[in-house]
Amino acid sequence: MQRRYLSLAAAGLATVMTLTLTGCGSGPGDGDVTLKLVAADYGDSAANSSQHYWDDLTREFEKKHPGIKIDVDVYSWTDVDKKVEDMVKAGKAPDLAQIGAYADYAARGQLYSVDKLLSIPTEADFTQSLADAGEYQRVPYGMPFGASTRRLFYNKKLFAQAGITSPPKTWDDIAQDAKLLKDHGVKMPFALPLGPEETQAETLMWMLGGGGGYTDSIGKYTLDSPQNVKTFEWLQKNLVAKGLTGGDPAKVNRADAFQGFADGEVGMLNGHPTLMKQAEAKGVDYGTTALPGSNGKAKATMGVTDWMMAFKQPGHRAQVGQFLDFVYSKKNVLKFSSTYGLLPVTVSASQEMMADDRYSKLHGFLEQLAGAEFYPADKTTWPLVSKTLKAKMGAAVEPDGNPSAVLSTIQNTADAADNAASGE
């Protein structure tokens, strides 16, 4: 706090400093501040809604900081991003939003940069790959909140029945194992969810396996690169055309694929940690392994993180900073991660999870986090590109599809959006 007070005083903001000191005081008064937080719901029922997590956390924080109240509204992932967008457009931005994307708000100058909010130890504790993913034009605005990586899940019982003794390490292994599973009556040997729910995730995982990705080292879209085209031609020829995906991938959503795996009808699929709980609830004996690639293990796994951000409009920078330092304490990060089957976003909480055998099934996912590749969330054009991927990629791998043409179409959309965003 001393560092923050000194910086405010140096700027001559005496009135703000007075408010900050009052907000940090030990009793109610004219300087009391109520912070508004809008957050996403990670639960799958009312019983484990994120509202319970935030209620417990804010109750503890308010006891330690009587001058600061926290008002939290939790919305489903279907609604939360639009809710925040509407609040900002109406001139009533919340102090804090924990949602799916930050870049648009950062580009419009509406967010505090992370260094203006967090103490130095808190900011330094973020896992570096996640902190880097939260930068817009090399300045951090998005604070990671809840992370996951992807691994290939396989049904051990179905594998044994098909005579498969080890999980696949390459794409050729996937194709061979999928054929064996199909020959033994498995309904969906390899679930390939390229339906509109989360196509952008499945697409990136396969691109990484083929040595490609969404962007190059300087952030330019490379959707129609030779590696990416080759990847989806392989999928079309070796899995879809041979009936090894159990149907049309364009009509299979992630939720459908996960449910099929939990029901014992899927032999293999790419999944994230929450699938473990879903499979265990149905008694499925499963294993996980690193994502296979074209010639061995994929160059990286896909990582996903959601974002916390702080809006300038309400003007409660110091109090927001105090609250965020509490939110990102090791204890609270670990509690959130363990409650919802996610990976910690800080080094301290990650180390504690890795040292605890209770979380052994998450260790394989966590070990991959530092080298994971993320969506290009720093690009304001990413939401449009993601939407286009959801609409078009499923058709690319159908027997009569044209992966090269589809990827070129999406590339043209991405280039036009980038050009418009840069004023060209």
Side-chain angles (χ1 to χ4, degrees):
M1 286 302 299
Q2 185 178 14
R3 177 173 65 87
R4 192 169 288 124
Y5 293 157
L6 288 173
S7 66
L8 289 170
L13 301 179
T15 57
V16 177
M17 183 175 175
T18 301
L19 174 62
T20 303
L21 289 167
T22 307
C24 294
S26 58
D30 293 339
D32 282 4
V33 167
T34 297
L35 303 180
K36 183 70 174 181
L37 165 62
V38 176
D41 194 353
Y42 289 80
D44 55 14
S45 68
N48 70 347
S49 167
S50 297
Q51 189 72 55
H52 301 302
Y53 172 81
W54 287 113
D55 287 348
D56 290 344
L57 184 144
T58 56
R59 193 178 301 115
E60 184 179 353
F61 176 81
E62 289 171 356
K63 286 181 181 178
K64 297 178 179 179
H65 302 82
I68 306 175
K69 303 298 181 186
I70 313 295
D71 179 19
V72 184
D73 286 337
V74 172
Y75 296 92
S76 72
W77 274 109
T78 305
D79 301 325
V80 68
D81 289 275
K82 183 66 164 58
K83 179 66 177 179
V84 172
E85 180 184 346
D86 290 345
M87 293 173 72
V88 173
K89 285 181 178 178
K92 297 179 180 179
D95 293 276
L96 291 153
Q98 186 272 299
I99 52 177
Y102 66 88
D104 277 350
Y105 300 119
R108 294 196 291 264
Q110 295 171 318
L111 302 179
Y112 287 117
S113 59
V114 176
D115 62 310
K116 296 292 198 301
L117 298 164
L118 301 180
S119 66
I120 292 174
T122 300
E123 185 178 3
D125 196 26
F126 285 132
T127 299
Q128 192 61 50
S129 60
L130 301 179
D132 291 345
E135 293 183 353
Y136 174 74
Q137 295 185 343
R138 300 186 181 279
V139 177
Y141 292 96
M143 291 162 275
F145 192 89
S148 67
T149 59
R150 301 296 191 265
R151 289 171 70 79
L152 184 137
F153 283 69
Y154 59 98
N155 184 312
K156 289 184 177 180
K157 179 181 177 181
L158 297 181
F159 266 46
Q161 290 173 347
I164 305 168
T165 58
S166 61
K169 294 181 172 59
T170 68
W171 288 355
D172 285 344
D173 292 343
I174 286 178
Q176 291 166 13
D177 293 347
K179 184 178 186 307
L180 289 170
L181 290 165
K182 182 182 179 183
D183 290 345
H184 280 75
V186 175
K187 182 177 179 181
M188 189 174 283
F190 193 102
L192 186 65
L194 291 175
E197 181 188 0
E198 206 185 35
T199 321
Q200 79 284 3
E202 191 73 15
T203 297
L204 179 55
M205 283 183 269
W206 284 97
M207 285 180 172
L208 293 172
Y214 282 144
T215 59
D216 61 18
S217 59
I218 60 172
K220 184 181 185 304
Y221 285 113
T222 55
L223 294 148
D224 63 349
S225 70
Q227 297 98 315
N228 291 343
V229 171
K230 189 175 180 181
T231 290
F232 284 90
E233 288 176 345
W234 186 93
L235 275 172
Q236 180 188 44
K237 176 182 176 182
N238 293 280
L239 290 187
V240 182
K242 294 182 178 179
L244 300 178
T245 58
D248 182 357
K251 297 178 181 177
V252 178
N253 282 323
R254 184 191 68 181
D256 304 324
F258 278 22
Q259 188 61 53
F261 189 78
D263 290 340
E265 298 176 345
V266 171
M268 297 175 279
L269 79 169
N270 297 325
H272 54 65
T274 57
L275 179 55
M276 296 190 298
K277 183 178 180 181
Q278 193 172 346
E280 288 164 3
K282 290 292 194 78
V284 173
D285 186 14
Y286 66 89
T288 73
T289 189
L291 296 183
S294 56
N295 296 302
K297 189 171 70 172
K299 71 172 185 178
T301 188
M302 186 187 80
V304 174
T305 185
D306 302 313
W307 302 103
M308 179 75 78
M309 62 210 71
F311 287 89
K312 292 178 180 178
Q313 185 194 347
H316 301 139
R317 179 167 68 99
Q319 293 88 346
V320 167
Q322 292 177 72
F323 179 59
L324 288 173
D325 279 343
F326 183 75
V327 168
Y328 284 106
S329 67
K330 179 172 68 174
K331 180 189 75 171
N332 287 327
V333 171
L334 192 60
K335 180 181 178 183
F336 177 81
S337 301
S338 59
T339 298
Y340 295 105
L342 294 167
L343 304 180
V345 297
T346 61
V347 173
S348 59
S350 295
Q351 289 174 340
E352 183 149 328
M353 180 175 278
M354 283 297 294
D356 192 333
D357 288 341
R358 290 180 299 170
Y359 305 114
S360 60
K361 290 184 177 180
L362 284 169
H363 290 173
F365 294 90
L366 188 53
E367 288 167 350
Q368 301 176 141
L369 187 58
E373 187 158 325
F374 296 83
Y375 299 137
D378 59 323
K379 295 173 71 67
T380 59
T381 55
W382 169 242
L384 172 62
V385 173
S386 177
K387 181 180 179 180
T388 308
L389 284 160
K390 291 179 180 182
K392 296 183 180 298
M393 278 311 300
V397 298
E398 291 177 343
D400 59 349
N402 186 330
S404 179
V406 170
L407 286 167
S408 292
T409 297
I410 302 172
Q411 179 72 41
N412 291 338
T413 299
D415 287 343
D418 265 357
N419 291 338
S422 62
E424 295 178 9

